[in-house]
Amino acid sequence: MKIVIAPDSFKESLSAMEVAGAIEAGLKTVFPHAQYVKIPMADGGEGTVQSLIDATQGKLVHTEATAPLGNRVAAFFGVSGDGQTAIIEMAAASGLHLVAHEKRNPLTTTSYGTGELIRAALDSGVNKIILGIGGSATNDGGAGMLQALGVRFFDQAGSLIAAGAAGGDLADIARADFSALDERLHHVALEVACDVENPLCGERGASAVFGPQKGATPEMIATLDNNLQHYADILRRDLNIDIATPAGAGAAGGMGGGLLTLPNVQLKAGVQIVIDTVKLAEQVRDADWVITGEGRMDAQSIAGKTPIGVARTAKRFHKPVIAIVGSLREDYEVVYEHGIDAVFPIIRQIATLPETLAGGYANLVSTAQNIARVMCLHQ
């Protein structure tokens, strides 16, 4: 019997590989001789780097980068085991968690550090970059990121706009010069994990939808939206590229749009990028069971989350899919319409949140063991 175990991480408790290991341990108590294939998964957000380096026997590369407010911070990216693919999380350099609550202001935050991570990945000699753009603190349309990669912006007087452009600086841009863009980008495929379809501007745009969580007041939102529209107009004029209307352009404060100015870029669903990278279909094709999971399952799980991506892949081959999750919300049952056959929460007793998080491994082992006993009934 072959069992593929392909879960996401349980946030603040266990990495995806640790979750997979716990599930394997529980199943082995009943099926000690089964073939187990552990594939740590992610959906392009936090944990994607760790999942993909675990899945490909890759490595974590530690470096420094510019944080959203211009200070230097410790950052990282991953390189796959074959050395051909770099995996970057925008949040590692430009994440909201890097800005104290009282200092959150998307008029002043920059994505420059994300550009530095892309440059560091290019330095490592890869031919493909996977970039997850969730969790950002910025609303600069990727302008800071582009500066780190060699793009120069000039104001009306012809003066160079300083590196680290923020959301409030976009109104000053009068000309964009891409002539010094890092040449290596023309030879590298860049896949962007983008799970939203918001355009750059307007009522569904980056500023209106995502600005408030980054500290934007209603007055700031209007300014930021106008700035992004101006920025898009300049890029359309100077590059003949429309970054305002494509679906996903508004992701990560307009980072999706800024990335569209680079060569060889594709905006794709994050979980699909991971599924393709780890070659999940090849493993589930001849599996008897597929086990997936995530920290909390609810109706939002059908919107690009890991378990549904795994389930849809498995259902291409008519495989049964079981989800093991940390907890459930009452609206979770919609997942049964998207390829999940059964869902099992792992919490065994009432406990505090810290106790529950600390007990994640043991609870996973116990739940997997009970699932295996039920599976035996159908042997």
Side-chain angles (χ1 to χ4, degrees):
M1 179 168 57
K2 177 180 179 180
I3 302 174
V4 171
I5 306 171
D8 204 336
S9 63
F10 281 27
K11 301 294 187 291
E12 299 183 72
S13 180
L14 299 166
S15 71
M17 182 59 90
E18 289 170 332
V19 172
I23 293 172
E24 180 187 31
L27 295 174
K28 272 188 170 179
T29 62
V30 179
F31 300 121
H33 303 299
Q35 176 189 357
Y36 296 97
V37 179
K38 299 191 296 294
I39 307 177
M41 296 291 296
D43 59 16
E46 179 187 355
T48 298
V49 169
Q50 189 64 51
S51 291
L52 288 183
I53 64 174
D54 283 342
T56 64
Q57 292 77 54
K59 64 179 180 180
L60 198 63
V61 179
H62 295 278
T63 184
E64 281 194 349
T66 300
L69 292 178
N71 53 302
R72 301 291 288 176
V73 293
F76 62 87
F77 64 95
V79 176
S80 60
D82 62 7
Q84 299 302 301
T85 301
I87 310 102
I88 299 172
E89 293 173 13
M90 180 181 179
S94 308
L96 190 60
H97 69 283
L98 296 173
V99 184
H101 281 272
E102 66 275 11
K103 294 183 178 179
R104 291 180 179 177
N105 178 350
L107 288 169
T108 62
T109 50
T110 181
S111 61
Y112 192 88
T114 298
E116 291 178 313
L117 290 183
I118 294 173
R119 201 170 64 217
L122 293 171
D123 290 342
S124 70
V126 298
N127 56 33
K128 178 180 177 181
I129 296 174
I130 294 171
L131 172 61
I133 59 174
S136 76
T138 58
N139 205 99
D140 68 353
M145 173 271 301
L146 291 172
Q147 287 177 312
L149 295 173
V151 174
R152 295 175 294 178
F153 296 109
F154 297 89
D155 63 19
Q156 197 66 46
S159 298
L160 183 68
I161 291 175
D169 298 317
L170 301 184
D172 297 329
I173 296 176
R175 182 167 65 90
D177 179 3
F178 277 64
S179 62
L181 179 70
D182 195 314
E183 176 64 27
R184 295 172 296 179
L185 289 165
H186 291 278
H187 309 289
V188 172
L190 179 54
E191 290 189 353
V192 181
C194 177
D195 290 313
V196 303
E197 296 186 349
N198 303 69
L200 189 69
C201 303
E203 62 182 17
R204 293 185 56 250
S207 307
V209 175
F210 306 113
Q213 69 194 47
K214 302 175 185 185
T217 64
E219 295 76 20
M220 284 184 198
I221 289 170
T223 298
L224 290 163
D225 194 58
N226 288 335
N227 288 2
L228 282 175
Q229 185 61 63
H230 170 76
Y231 173 66
D233 291 342
I234 295 296
L235 292 176
R236 183 186 297 110
R237 185 199 67 196
D238 292 352
L239 299 179
N240 195 30
I241 295 175
D242 173 24
I243 72 163
T245 57
M255 173 64 85
L259 287 164
L260 290 173
T261 66
L262 298 178
N264 306 318
V265 169
Q266 281 188 303
L267 272 56
K268 300 172 63 175
V271 69
Q272 193 59 50
I273 290 175
V274 176
I275 285 170
D276 293 342
T277 300
V278 302
K279 298 180 172 58
L280 180 66
E282 293 182 12
Q283 291 295 344
V284 303
R285 181 179 283 110
D286 62 346
D288 295 288
W289 293 87
V290 177
I291 314 290
T292 186
E294 64 181 340
R296 185 180 75 182
M297 181 164 279
D298 54 30
Q300 294 301 310
S301 296
I302 67 174
K305 297 299 185 181
T306 291
I308 301 303
V310 172
R312 288 173 177 165
T313 302
K315 289 308 178 185
R316 288 167 46 195
F317 307 99
H318 311 289
K319 305 301 181 181
V321 181
I322 293 173
I324 304 178
V325 302
S327 63
L328 292 168
R329 294 187 62 170
E330 60 184 19
D331 58 0
Y332 82 94
E333 291 185 357
V334 68
V335 304
Y336 293 135
E337 301 170 17
H338 295 268
I340 302 288
D341 294 302
V343 180
F344 295 84
I346 67 170
I347 297 174
R348 292 183 288 176
Q349 60 192 15
I350 296 173
T352 65
L353 180 59
E355 289 171 338
T356 300
L357 294 174
Y361 189 93
N363 288 341
L364 274 164
V365 172
S366 175
T367 303
Q369 182 183 61
N370 285 324
I371 289 170
R373 292 187 181 280
V374 172
M375 291 162 65
C376 276
L377 301 177
H378 298 278
Q379 286 287 88

